């Protein structure tokens, strides 16, 4: 069943008080697998009005609410402000993705389900260091992936919060957070030592020392993105070649100060680069 057809089907039941219609909906969702393809606005409406859907949610919570992409919503902040995050159906939520939501504020993040392990808050321009600190305090060491691409409010204080509370991170993107400097990256290097994917794209305040240190602390990095970081020289790239033998993807676009010797060292030491 297509997404459009699914929405039309659901709309026929959302406002119905008929027990037979309620039961028909439950049967259809169980038998067709449609429960995993429900658009979020319809999902919220169903949770609010259909007793049978709430019954199904309890049965299949690990399937229904493991991954939630709020990006298509016109007002994703309502997921937090209307108290939806506290519903039992979201108690096993693992991944939340929100993009380009300027009305998502720091206080909303204090309502995230504590079960979340993967969180993307890309281009949510109203968020600040306080919001990142809320994430770190609420989720802590359970957080494995965090991305906050293109945020001009985020500073070294956010990096420190992640370092102190989220030492289990395996994937981190601070791409475009141009107020993050070497100090923030050094703080991350001091406690975050399980990173496998690191995106420091467009961070002009991070110097060679900061990059070299976080690479030395995380020898199992397989993906490193440094796009448009023209300040970096060959020094940290040589460090990557020396300690990060599992590198499979490296973006050095715009790094004109990196010489051929460093690139040759990468190619010789990081055999997986040839497979990418």
């Amino acid at each position: 069943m297509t997404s459009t057809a699914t929405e039309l089907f659901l709309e026929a039941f959302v406002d119905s008080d008929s027990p037979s219609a309620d039961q028909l909906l439950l049967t259809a969702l169980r038998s067709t697998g449609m429960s995993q393809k429900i658009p979020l606005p319809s999902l919220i409406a169903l949770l609010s009005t259909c007793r049978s859907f709430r019954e199904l949610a309890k049965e299949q919570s690990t399937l229904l609410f493991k991954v939630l992409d709020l990006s298509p919503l016109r007002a994703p902040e309502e997921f937090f402000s209307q108290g939806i995050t506290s519903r039992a159906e979201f108690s096993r939520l693992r991944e939340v993705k929100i993009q380009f939501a300027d009305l998502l504020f720091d206080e909303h993040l204090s309502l995230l389900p504590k079960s979340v392990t993967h969180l993307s808050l890309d281009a949510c321009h109203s968020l600040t260091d306080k919001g990142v600190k809320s994430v770190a305090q609420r989720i802590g060491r359970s957080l494995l992936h965090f991305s906050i691409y293109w945020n001009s409010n985020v500073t070294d204080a956010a990096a420190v919060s992640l370092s102190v509370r989220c030492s289990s991170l395996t994937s981190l993107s601070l791409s475009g957070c141009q107020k993050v400097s070497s100090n923030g990256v050094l703080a991350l290097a001091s406690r975050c030592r399980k990173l496998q994917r690191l995106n420091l794209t467009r961070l002009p305040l991070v110097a060679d020392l900061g990059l070299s240190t976080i690479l030395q602390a995380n020898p199992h990095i397989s993906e490193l993105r440094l796009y448009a970081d023209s300040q970096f020289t060959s020094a940290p790239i040589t460090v990557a070649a020396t300690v990060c033998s599992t590198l499979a993807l490296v973006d050095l676009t715009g790094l004109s100060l990196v010489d051929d010797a460093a690139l040759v060292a990468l190619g010789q030491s990081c055999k997986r680069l040839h497979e990418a």
Side-chain angles (χ1 to χ4, degrees):
M1 184 178 289
T2 66
S3 178
T4 301
T6 301
E7 289 193 72
L8 291 174
F9 178 85
L10 295 172
E11 287 174 1
F13 293 95
V14 167
D15 296 322
S16 174
D17 293 325
S18 168
S20 59
D22 217 27
Q23 188 59 42
L24 177 61
L25 172 62
L26 182 60
T27 301
L29 289 171
R30 280 174 171 155
S31 63
T32 63
M34 197 169 65
S35 58
Q36 298 180 50
K37 305 174 184 177
I38 298 173
L40 190 63
S42 299
L43 176 63
I44 292 173
L46 282 167
L47 282 170
S48 301
T49 61
C50 295
R51 182 180 63 256
S52 288
F53 188 78
R54 291 195 293 272
E55 180 183 335
L56 179 67
K58 291 178 182 178
E59 294 176 6
Q60 302 184 3
S61 60
T62 57
L63 296 176
L64 284 173
F65 308 112
K66 189 174 182 179
V67 179
L68 196 59
D69 185 353
L70 299 171
S71 303
L73 288 185
R74 183 173 300 176
E77 68 278 359
E78 292 181 1
F79 179 76
F80 300 93
S81 61
Q82 293 184 6
I84 298 170
T85 57
S86 62
R87 292 181 180 273
E89 294 88 350
F90 292 97
S91 62
R92 299 185 184 183
L93 190 63
R94 292 291 180 265
E95 182 175 342
V96 175
K97 181 179 180 181
I98 310 175
Q99 295 178 320
F100 296 94
D102 286 346
L103 294 180
L104 184 71
F105 297 110
D106 294 336
E107 54 266 28
H108 292 134
L109 300 182
S110 65
L111 301 174
L112 277 167
K114 293 183 178 180
S115 58
V116 171
T117 59
H118 292 64
L119 180 62
S120 297
L121 301 170
D122 296 335
C124 296
H125 298 122
S126 297
L127 296 179
T128 71
D129 293 336
K130 183 180 178 180
V132 177
K133 184 176 182 179
S134 292
V135 169
Q137 290 178 331
R138 187 155 181 84
I139 302 177
R141 295 182 65 182
S142 296
L143 190 63
L144 302 178
H145 165 86
F146 184 66
S147 176
I148 191 165
Y149 158 79
W150 190 20
N151 187 306
S152 60
N153 300 319
V154 168
T155 71
D156 291 335
V160 170
S161 294
L162 292 172
S163 173
V164 170
R165 298 272 186 171
C166 306
S167 58
S168 297
L169 278 169
T170 61
S171 176
L172 176 64
S173 175
L174 298 174
S175 173
C177 298
Q178 297 190 6
K179 291 182 180 178
V180 175
S181 73
S182 291
N183 291 332
V185 174
L186 288 169
L188 289 165
S190 69
R191 301 190 64 168
C192 296
R193 297 174 176 266
K194 298 179 181 180
L195 290 172
Q196 298 173 20
R197 296 179 178 85
L198 179 64
N199 190 338
L200 300 180
T201 289
R202 295 187 186 277
L203 298 188
L205 301 182
V206 179
D208 284 354
L209 176 61
L211 178 57
S212 295
T213 303
I214 199 168
L215 291 175
Q216 290 170 333
N218 291 276
H220 299 297
I221 284 181
S222 61
E223 183 176 307
L224 178 63
R225 298 182 183 272
L226 305 172
Y227 179 88
D229 288 328
S230 59
Q231 74 277 15
F232 291 137
T233 70
S234 297
I237 307 307
T238 301
V239 170
T242 303
V243 302
C244 302
S245 60
T246 58
L247 271 173
L249 186 154
V250 182
D251 188 349
L252 304 179
T253 305
L255 276 65
S256 59
L257 299 180
V258 176
D259 61 26
D260 290 346
L263 297 178
V264 169
L266 270 180
Q268 291 177 340
S269 302
C270 306
K271 303 300 184 183
R272 292 181 60 192
L273 285 172
H274 302 290
E275 302 171 4

